[in-house]
Amino acid sequence: MSGGEISSRTLQIFFLIIGRRLTGRMAAVDDLQFEEFGNAATSLTANPDATTVNIEDPGETPKHQPGSPRGSGREEDDELLGNDDSDKTELLAGQKKSSPFWTFEYYQTFFDVDTYQVFDRIKGSLLPIPGKNFVRLYIRSNPDLYGPFWICATLVFAIAISGNLSNFLIHLGEKTYHYVPEFRKVSIAATIIYAYAWLVPLALWGFLMWRNSKVMNIVSYSFLEIVCVYGYSLFIYIPTAILWIIPQKAVRWILVMIALGISGSLLAMTFWPAVREDNRRVALATIVTIVLLHMLLSVGCLAYFFDAPEMDHLPTTTATPNQTVAAAKSS
Amino acid sequence: MAEAEESPGDPGTASPRPLFAGLSDISISQDIPVEGEITIPMRSRIREFDSSTLNESVRNTIMRDLKAVGKKFMHVLYPRKSNTLLRDWDLWGPLILCVTLAFTTYILQIFRMLQRDSADSEKDGGPQFAEVFVIVWFGAVTITLNSKLLGGNISFFQSLCVLGYCILPLTVAMLICRLVLLADPGPVNFMVRLFVVIVMFAWSIVASTAFLADSQPPNRRALAVYPVFLFYFVISWMILTFTPQ
């Protein structure tokens, strides 16, 4: 046997070891002839069909392999290398999303997070440090849908319940005020927040894809990563909504500023690398639009769900035009 | 062929005979019957009853189902780690509880309308019958889907069953709140109601966690339990606030 054949055989076994460890598939092995390598080969193959693999007699092993015996070593090398290369490329490219989208397992890949990972992502969203990209640091390997969905659900109920409570406390002394827990507002809040958390990322993703086709950007995000960033950036609004119960206008606006500052900076720092190489104006306009939409969401929620605190001294009849004025002021 | 400890081809020793050596000597003669019916040593009449429950009286069916539901209620009220709720799941209990909850809000709504004796029932923002029903059932379905997506090994209807049955403490809380409100309203009244609702809320959480937490791997348990917490919190909020002032 020549040196070239020895080295190619060694290469085969090397790839086999890797392939077996990574994929566990033994399809490529069945086609191999291992007559020259007694112990190593048979211990590697572990062919389930071969019930009596006799180590002392290497000449018998080809009999138990179901594949047709190959001729010389060269085609086997190519085929084996080809098989393993395709194994490895398939592994490295998209191993997580390999199920078709109509199976349950496909959606399970989006919930493949542990408790500590979710907590880490939430902490990362609360402390945006310049220079640390949220997506690269926390999500790049594994965007999840658990965080966005349940943070939005919690936010919906937090806003609805806090709005209800604050209105109740504001109008507490009035005799003419009849407390109604307004459950219709829950559905309105749900529509607004879920639309924001899903449609704005969709629009942003479409926009970024379009710009990517024109200008080559180094950083590009998938749709799920954008949804993830938006979902986790809404987390700061949950304590903000609870603190909005305090019926002081100044306190509420300070809270709006703080929350907007934190989540807006998180979004801006995440998306700046994605538009940086673009035309200066387009990049700035994108970032400004992102922050503006975020501000619109928070101010709109504050105006719609929380009555203005000065109303408690006025009788209910004049409260209605003032409320419409307040709503018009902030829209 | 399975051999005893001796190596093949050793005719000398007579002690351990090969295991199935005498098998070839057996022949099935014609007078040994190899067909027939396998009877259990009980009266054959009972077999007819076991085979179909169609023939029993309606009262028997209803009582059997009611007893199963009642047994599960007991399991919820005294949550121990048992598998009864999971093994023999049924959705009667959740349906009864959900209808009770929703129907009580409907009765309250009608009551309020009659009391106020005005036509502004549109401004009444309390939960409608449909809202309660939808929140309970869609909330339970969402939590079940979440639990399954996270990789829990509980089946869909088992999880619905557990979540529905664990609404029982909150239904009791609502009936208690309704009774408490027959007294004069005031801050003491509110404190009593708040206390009752908080206690029942904690009871529901403990009961459902006792059944559901085991179905998740330990590194995701909190992720699966949090939606349950949110669900019962929302229901508690509804109970606490929709009683009329």
Side-chain angles (χ1 to χ4, degrees), chain B residues 72-186:
Chain B
K72 291 203 188 65
F73 280 159
M74 284 301 126
H75 275 283
V76 169
L77 287 179
Y78 302 107
R80 284 182 303 268
K81 281 209 193 293
S82 80
N83 277 339
T84 312
L85 222 67
L86 289 179
R87 220 183 22 229
D88 321 313
W89 60 267
D90 70 85
L91 291 179
W92 283 115
L95 183 67
I96 293 175
L97 289 172
C98 186
V99 168
T100 310
L101 262 182
F103 199 63
T104 312
T105 71
Y106 181 64
I107 294 279
L108 285 177
Q109 204 179 326
I110 302 263
F111 197 62
R112 241 175 298 169
M113 260 171 49
L114 291 175
Q115 257 187 346
R116 270 211 306 267
D117 198 25
S118 63
D120 54 353
S121 59
E122 299 85 31
K123 277 174 40 175
D124 174 38
Q128 317 284 325
F129 182 94
E131 279 174 13
V132 174
F133 218 80
V134 160
I135 285 184
V136 168
W137 284 102
F138 271 94
V141 166
T142 309
I143 295 175
T144 307
L145 276 180
N146 176 65
S147 170
K148 286 189 78 70
L149 282 169
L150 280 174
N153 58 355
I154 192 172
S155 94
F156 185 76
F157 286 108
Q158 281 174 347
S159 172
L160 276 187
C161 169
V162 169
L163 287 169
Y165 269 102
C166 292
I167 297 181
L168 174 68
L170 288 172
T171 312
V172 169
M174 193 186 67
L175 296 172
I176 294 180
C177 283
R178 196 67 202 96
L179 288 175
V180 165
L181 273 170
L182 289 178
D184 56 343

